């Protein structure tokens, strides 16, 4: 199950964890823990955190992941508005509570365009 996490849609894992399947719960918790641990590591290196931004496929479409990460980072001042997190907005949207010292956002991206753009730039530099 844990090895499967990177190969199947995150929604399957969210649903399995929400249903209480112990394998899915473990895999999902480990996944969220690793994201939060990396964010905390970067915040430590920077001496704090001004904003937490979720982007790309999982960041844009997995509210349970966002909530789990934000909740694990509450000690850093990340306070998510869970009602806002449950909604889907167009464009960028703010998920932090008004009293949150750290702002939380979802900012959509077009990963395929960015990869193509980078490849085009690199090939042009090599020519």
């Amino acid at each position: 199950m844990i090895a499967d996490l990177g190969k199947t849609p995150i929604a399957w894992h969210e649903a399995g964890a929400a249903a209480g399947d112990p394998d899915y719960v473990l895999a999902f918790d480990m996944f969220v823990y690793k994201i939060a641990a990396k964010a905390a590591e970067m915040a430590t290196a920077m001496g704090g955190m001004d904003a937490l931004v979720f982007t790309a496929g999982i960041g844009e479409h997995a509210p349970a992941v966002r909530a789990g990460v934000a909740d694990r980072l509450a000690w850093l001042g990340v306070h998510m508005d869970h009602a806002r997190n449950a909604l889907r907005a167009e464009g960028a949207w703010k998920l932090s509570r008004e009293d949150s010292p750290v702002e939380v956002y979802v900012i959509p991206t077009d990963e395929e365009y960015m990869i193509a753009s980078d490849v085009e730039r690199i090939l042009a530099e090599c020519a």
Side-chain angles (χ1 to χ4, degrees):
M1 187 62 55
I2 293 167
D4 187 49
L5 189 55
K7 299 178 184 132
T8 58
I10 191 66
W12 294 4
H13 296 277
E14 283 181 312
D21 182 302
D23 290 334
Y24 281 106
V25 169
L26 177 61
F28 186 79
D29 285 349
M30 289 179 67
F31 180 68
V32 169
Y33 166 79
K34 291 301 280 183
I35 297 169
K38 273 297 173 194
E41 181 181 326
M42 290 184 273
T44 299
M46 296 183 296
M49 181 185 296
D50 297 320
L52 176 64
V53 178
F54 294 96
T55 190
I58 292 173
E60 292 176 50
H61 304 290
V65 173
R66 295 192 302 257
V69 171
D71 290 348
R72 281 176 169 80
L73 296 175
W75 63 276
L76 277 171
V78 176
H79 304 299
M80 176 179 278
D81 181 327
H82 290 282
R84 256 189 234 153
N85 183 46
L87 303 174
R88 177 75 177 111
E90 290 300 317
W93 76 98
K94 185 176 178 180
L95 299 178
S96 46
R97 294 187 332 224
E98 294 304 317
D99 65 338
S100 181
V102 176
E103 294 185 343
V104 182
Y105 294 96
V106 172
I107 300 178
T109 187
D110 183 343
E111 295 169 285
E112 291 83 5
Y113 172 80
M114 294 306 300
I115 292 167
S117 176
D118 286 346
V119 168
E120 181 180 53
R121 179 183 48 80
I122 291 166
L123 290 175
E125 290 172 2
C126 292

